[in-house]
Amino acid sequence: MSVRRSPSPAQARQQQTHQRVRREILLSAAGVFARHGYAAATLADLAEAAGYAPPSLYRYFESKEEIFSSLTDLLKGELAATFELPVDRSQPLQARLVALLGAQFALVRERREVFAVLLSTRPSECSGPAPLADVRAGLAIYEAQMADWLRHHASRRELRCPVELAARALAGLSHAFHHREVHGAVETSTPDVQARRVVDLALHGISAVPASAS
């Protein structure tokens, strides 16, 4: 049985540097894809934006397809991480949801170019897998994550519908607001304000008069 050795300090630093550079390349690539579109962007464009000669880029990525796929994975990981943030169960459900969605709206604003690329690129344009490039697939992933979050952080008595329906409503509303954040005019309100709007609509609907009073 072989013993797996931990990397030396020098190797660990080298790995950290490699991952940092990969991340920088991905974020600069998002701007290129956003400006030119996935199909028109070339590896030379991506290398220039990152400050590298095209041959040097191959030290970190083998192809444009791998860059796009890794960009998708980066965003999936960052979005998934928002569902792992600490939750204060002493707060009412509305406040818990605002905290969750506020973190997500902040991420959308920070990664606007990345979201723009993934929401506007058709799967047919990509020769490799791009699960978030298909809006329906991305929305299904987000809805499943929302349902799992509700199962862990909302009690049955706090919801008047099955968890799956609550997750679908929250996912649909959030997606609509995220899409406008990315493709609409620059939003001036804070992420928390955006989150409160979505949560208020999800919990109370659009009617000015409660249904029971009509």
Side-chain angles (χ1 to χ4, degrees):
M1 180 177 178
S2 62
V3 178
R4 187 175 182 180
R5 296 180 179 179
S6 299
S8 67
Q11 289 173 324
R13 286 193 298 271
Q14 187 177 24
Q15 290 174 1
Q16 290 172 355
T17 299
H18 186 81
Q19 291 302 316
R20 176 180 57 77
V21 173
R22 276 177 59 92
R23 184 183 181 87
E24 291 172 353
I25 291 172
L26 291 177
L27 294 179
S28 66
V32 176
F33 288 136
R35 289 190 297 273
H36 300 293
Y38 174 81
T42 66
L43 204 61
D45 294 329
L46 300 173
E48 182 181 0
Y52 289 89
S56 300
L57 208 63
Y58 286 109
R59 294 172 53 194
Y60 303 97
F61 297 98
E62 294 182 358
S63 64
K64 180 176 77 169
E65 290 76 19
E66 185 188 357
I67 291 176
F68 189 87
S69 178
S70 297
L71 190 61
T72 299
D73 290 338
L74 171 67
L75 189 58
K76 284 173 62 180
E78 290 185 334
L79 188 58
T82 64
F83 288 100
E84 301 299 326
L85 294 172
V87 177
D88 184 356
R89 289 296 295 269
S90 69
Q91 294 292 315
L93 177 60
Q94 182 166 349
R96 277 173 269 153
L97 284 169
V98 167
L100 171 67
L101 298 189
Q104 293 174 355
F105 274 106
L107 175 63
V108 171
R109 191 162 297 183
E110 181 183 2
R111 298 282 186 254
R112 181 178 177 133
E113 284 188 330
V114 183
F115 273 91
V117 170
L118 299 181
L119 288 175
S120 61
T121 303
R122 296 186 299 274
S124 58
E125 295 181 83
C126 309
S127 58
L132 280 186
D134 185 337
V135 172
R136 291 170 298 177
L139 187 56
I141 293 170
Y142 181 75
E143 184 180 317
Q145 291 172 325
M146 182 65 74
D148 189 57
W149 186 93
L150 288 171
R151 292 188 190 97
H152 285 87
H153 302 298
S155 65
R156 300 292 296 180
R157 61 182 175 80
E158 290 180 300
L159 301 173
R160 68 178 184 88
C161 64
V163 165
E164 293 76 16
L165 288 180
R168 186 168 301 171
L170 283 163
L173 282 167
S174 296
H175 174 73
F177 276 72
H178 290 163
H179 199 281
R180 180 173 176 79
E181 177 86 24
V182 171
H183 293 294
V186 175
E187 182 60 53
T188 57
S189 58
T190 67
D192 281 347
V193 169
Q194 289 283 75
R196 283 195 287 272
R197 289 171 179 165
V198 171
V199 173
D200 182 65
L201 286 169
L203 296 182
H204 306 116
I206 62 173
S207 176
V209 180
S212 59
S214 58

